[in-house]
């Protein structure tokens, strides 16, 4: 079976092989056979995750036993929530029985705690907990976990009954979430805010790949490519190039730098559709936008800066005050809504964009160092 798999939007890497899972199941079965000799316990399987483990365990159990099932819910996505509710209770009554609770994984212990309360209310004769996986770093409860297949670190795992939003239960090995160490900055601000200047400094400082969509378009225009010809008509008027064109180009630029430690996106995203496309692209690499850092500069300062730059930059869209004002207008009409988009995710960081280059770099770095 493959070493890396994708479930929904996330990638997982193989963590415990099928053979090692089988060893773990056997180990628990051997101990249960010893400890429950002469008894007729009830295996209480915690659905849905433990069904695979319990079916194998029960087949290896040599004495009489009965089966029962209970269903509680706790996980949402990859985060465990503290609230646990019973979806389906154990039938028939467990009163006076020796119960073996079968769990797929014990992490915070919230589920175990809920089930122990239920067992005590039911007045069982005795109970033990058998789990395939146990996360000692995450476990916060005082109850003894009697039978442990394998101890695992505090990673999100799927396979062999465990799922990520419904998928992955049928995998015979266990996989863990691939962690990303990338830093991806969206450098934001109106035209002339100094994004390009700062990006040049920050890319060296943080070892990131700088992608300026404006620069890529200008390169294409200069080389008279098909993309350049298409983009030129929009750029000359200070309008945005259509999303479909820009997103395709951005994806290609990111793919060209598959080994990057992270990116500085300069001039992208400029619309909500672009922001959503960026989230999808980065999710496919198990990463996301670390933060949007926005340079805040007054409009009139921007116009003056751009007219000044126009004297030497050779950019037609910098030379004409009407085009400059249109670019600023487009920024506020179409682009500034992205502030709200990232604010909702707690990822927006505004920085004063007036001062010397190094003063502004210092302000940006203070934010970046916290991401
Ligand atoms: P810039 O160098 O970032 O000021 O971009 C110059 C011009 O390129 C803009 O005025 C747009 O016409 C075009 N452009 C750059 N990035 C984008 C983008 N993300 N979406 C649409 N058009 C863009």
């Amino acid at each position: 079976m493959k070493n890396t798999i994708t479930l929904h939007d996330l990638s997982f890497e193989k963590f415990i092989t099928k053979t090692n899972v089988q060893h773990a199941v056997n180990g628990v079965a051997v101990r249960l056979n010893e400890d429950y000799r002469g008894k007729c316990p009830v295996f209480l399987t915690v659905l849905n995750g433990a069904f695979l483990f319990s079916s194998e365990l029960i087949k290896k159990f040599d004495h009489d036993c009965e089966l029962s099932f209970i269903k509680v819910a706790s996980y949402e996505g990859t985060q465990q929530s503290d609230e646990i509710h019973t979806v389906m209770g154990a039938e028939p009554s467990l009163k006076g029985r020796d119960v073996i609770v079968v769990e797929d994984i014990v992490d915070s212990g919230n589920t175990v705690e809920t089930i122990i309360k239920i067992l005590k209310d039911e007045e069982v004769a005795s109970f033990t907990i058998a789990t395939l996986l146990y996360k000692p770093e995450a476990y916060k409860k005082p109850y003894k976990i009697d039978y442990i297949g394998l101890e695992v670190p505090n990673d999100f795992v799927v396979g062999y009954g465990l799922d990520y939003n419904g998928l992955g239960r049928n995998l015979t090995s266990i996989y863990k979430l691939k962690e990303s160490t990338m830093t991806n900055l969206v450098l934001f601000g109106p035209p002339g805010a100094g994004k390009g200047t700062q990006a040049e400094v920050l890319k060296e400082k943080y070892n990131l790949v700088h992608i300026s969509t404006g620069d890529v378009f200008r390169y294409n225009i200069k080389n008279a490519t098909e993309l350049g010809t298409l983009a030129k008509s929009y750029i000359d008027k200070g309008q945005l190039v259509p999303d479909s064109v820009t997103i395709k180009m951005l994806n290609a630029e990111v793919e060209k730098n598959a080994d990057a430690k992270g990116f500085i996106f300069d001039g992208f995203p400029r619309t909500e559709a672009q922001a959503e496309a960026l989230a999808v692209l980065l999710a496919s690499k198990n990463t996301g936008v670390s933060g949007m850092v926005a340079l805040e500069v007054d409009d009139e300062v921007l116009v003056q800066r751009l007219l000044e730059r126009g004297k030497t930059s050779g950019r037609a869209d910098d030379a004409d005050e009407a085009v400059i004002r249109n670019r600023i207008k487009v920024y506020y009409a179409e682009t500034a809504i992205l502030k709200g988009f990232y604010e909702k995710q707690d990822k927006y960081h505004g920085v004063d964009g007036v001062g010397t280059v190094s003063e502004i770099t210092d302000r940006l770095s203070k934010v970046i160092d916290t991401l």
Side-chain angles (χ1 to χ4, degrees), residues 8-197:
H8 297 294
D9 55 336
L10 296 181
S11 297
F12 295 82
E13 59 196 342
K14 194 178 275 183
F15 178 46
I16 305 169
T17 62
K18 184 178 168 179
T19 312
N20 286 341
V21 172
Q22 293 304 324
H23 283 320
V25 178
N26 287 342
V28 174
V30 166
R31 291 185 52 209
L32 287 174
N33 278 324
E34 276 169 25
D35 294 351
Y36 282 85
R37 199 180 300 275
K39 291 183 182 159
C40 177
V42 179
F43 282 88
L44 180 64
T45 301
V46 184
L47 295 175
N48 294 331
F51 82 102
L52 259 182
F53 174 44
S54 102
S55 79
E56 303 241 342
L57 197 59
I58 290 158
K59 280 184 271 178
K60 295 176 199 296
F61 190 70
D62 298 332
H63 319 299
D64 285 347
C65 65
E66 291 179 34
L67 309 184
S68 186
F69 300 89
I70 189 166
K71 186 165 179 173
V72 294
S74 65
Y75 265 108
E76 279 176 23
T78 60
Q79 299 300 310
Q80 186 167 40
S81 75
D82 281 350
E83 267 194 43
I84 301 214
H85 55 280
T86 308
V87 181
M88 184 186 100
E91 295 276 347
S93 167
L94 298 169
K95 188 172 175 162
R97 302 301 305 269
D98 296 310
V99 176
I100 303 167
V101 177
V102 186
E103 266 279 34
D104 48 355
I105 186 161
V106 172
D107 52 28
S108 71
N110 289 335
T111 309
V112 164
E113 180 165 65
T114 306
I115 288 171
I116 288 177
K117 266 192 211 134
I118 295 170
L119 296 180
K120 286 185 176 159
D121 286 348
E122 290 257 323
E123 298 176 1
V124 299
S126 74
F127 67 83
T128 53
I129 313 282
T131 184
L132 177 64
L133 304 178
Y134 170 65
K135 287 184 179 175
E137 292 160 34
Y139 190 62
K140 291 190 278 244
K141 304 292 179 188
Y143 318 104
K144 182 174 174 228
I145 308 300
D146 306 87
Y147 305 95
I148 293 169
L150 286 164
E151 287 195 0
V152 290
N154 203 3
D155 296 309
F156 185 75
V157 288
V158 294
Y160 203 80
L162 291 129
D163 74 312
Y164 165 51
N165 283 349
L167 297 184
R169 296 196 196 275
N170 55 328
L171 299 164
T172 48
S173 304
I174 289 176
Y175 292 76
K176 74 172 180 183
L177 185 63
K178 261 184 154 179
E179 294 292 346
S180 162
T181 50
M182 283 172 91
T183 302
N184 298 304
L185 306 175
V186 173
L187 195 54
F188 195 61
K195 300 188 294 290
T197 307

Side-chain angles (χ1 to χ4, degrees), residues 335-355:
T335 304
I337 51 156
L338 289 178
K339 178 178 174 185
F341 182 91
Y342 288 108
E343 257 172 354
K344 268 192 237 143
Q345 304 173 26
D346 248 349
K347 289 183 179 171
Y348 179 85
H349 307 274
V351 168
D352 179 5
V354 181

Side-chain angles (χ1 to χ4, degrees), residues 191-192 195 212-215 217-218 231 234-236 238-243 246 249 266-271 274 309 315 317 327:
K195 300 188 294 290
S212 155
T213 41
D215 283 350
F217 282 134
R218 282 185 286 278
Y234 297 94
I235 292 180
D236 283 351
Q239 294 167 351
L240 293 186
V241 177
D243 281 341
T246 310
M249 179 195 89
D266 162 9
F268 189 96
R270 267 174 152 100
T271 65
Q274 292 181 11
R309 186 170 83 181
R315 282 177 56 169
D317 61 350
R327 284 160 63 202

